[in-house]
Amino acid sequence: MNTTNGGPAEAPAQDAQPQLNVVAQYIKDLSFENPNAPRSLIAGQQQPQISIQINVGAAPLEGDDIEVTLKLEGKAETGGQLMFGFELAFAGVFRIRNVPQESLNAVVLIECPRLLFPFAREIVASTVRNGGFPPLLLDPVDFVGLYRQRMSQMQAANQPAPQS
């Protein structure tokens, strides 16, 4: 019986195609500090010094599911005083199928956070704005560069010490 409605039959290899599906996205943890309010909000505003740290973590779940957590930490200071600080752990559950084992690490640590980042960026911007400041719009992140840096750090840590 032909159930393809007159079209070509689907190749059985279709099931073997690499797949990356987002099962869920969520805030695991969110913290915002505005310790010098209201002074920090009404004082003459000079350009703050902003520092941001980004980390990616992953944990296997059941089956083909992996939880990837994007951690963003930042603070803005002016004149040595903290204007605001934030910490966000934004996570997603990803279902990854038919990805070769040698490529899995890169998919998890590059592609998954790349999919999470726009949502995390919006959460940070809204949180900072709701804290009384102009929204903080984070620049795009080079997750390939972060991945390479992480891999070189791991290789350096696994290198035996030179003999003297």
Side-chain angles (χ1 to χ4, degrees):
M1 175 177 219
N2 184 354
T3 59
T4 60
N5 235 8
E10 239 180 82
Q14 189 74 12
D15 290 343
Q17 293 292 319
Q19 295 178 6
L20 172 62
N21 298 320
V22 180
V23 177
Q25 294 182 42
Y26 46 93
I27 295 173
K28 285 187 81 157
D29 189 27
L30 175 61
S31 164
F32 181 81
E33 262 186 89
N34 189 353
N36 293 306
R39 281 187 319 232
S40 61
L41 301 172
I42 56 176
Q45 294 293 334
Q46 63 184 44
Q47 190 67 19
Q49 186 72 26
I50 296 175
S51 62
I52 307 287
Q53 264 191 332
I54 298 174
N55 290 300
V56 178
L61 300 173
E62 292 182 26
D64 296 326
D65 294 351
I66 296 175
E67 180 188 53
V68 177
T69 304
L70 181 59
K71 292 183 181 178
L72 304 171
E73 295 180 39
K75 63 182 177 179
E77 296 177 307
T78 183
Q81 287 247 316
L82 181 66
M83 293 177 68
F84 65 82
F86 67 87
E87 292 180 22
L88 170 64
F90 189 71
V93 174
F94 295 88
R95 186 159 294 142
I96 303 172
R97 292 187 176 134
N98 304 322
V99 172
Q101 193 63 39
E102 63 273 8
S103 302
L104 187 60
N105 214 17
V107 169
V108 168
L109 297 176
I110 296 171
E111 293 307 319
C112 294
R114 189 179 296 176
L115 292 169
L116 292 173
F117 182 75
F119 300 97
R121 181 180 192 252
E122 175 60 30
I123 293 166
V124 168
S126 296
T127 302
V128 171
R129 184 186 66 237
N130 290 337
F133 298 95
L136 176 61
L137 300 176
L138 300 175
D139 289 334
V141 175
D142 177 12
F143 288 104
V144 173
L146 284 177
Y147 176 76
R148 286 181 179 150
Q149 180 182 0
R150 185 178 194 174
M151 291 300 108
S152 65
Q153 287 172 346
M154 288 174 64
Q155 284 178 341
N158 292 334
Q159 297 269 334
Q163 301 289 326
S164 41

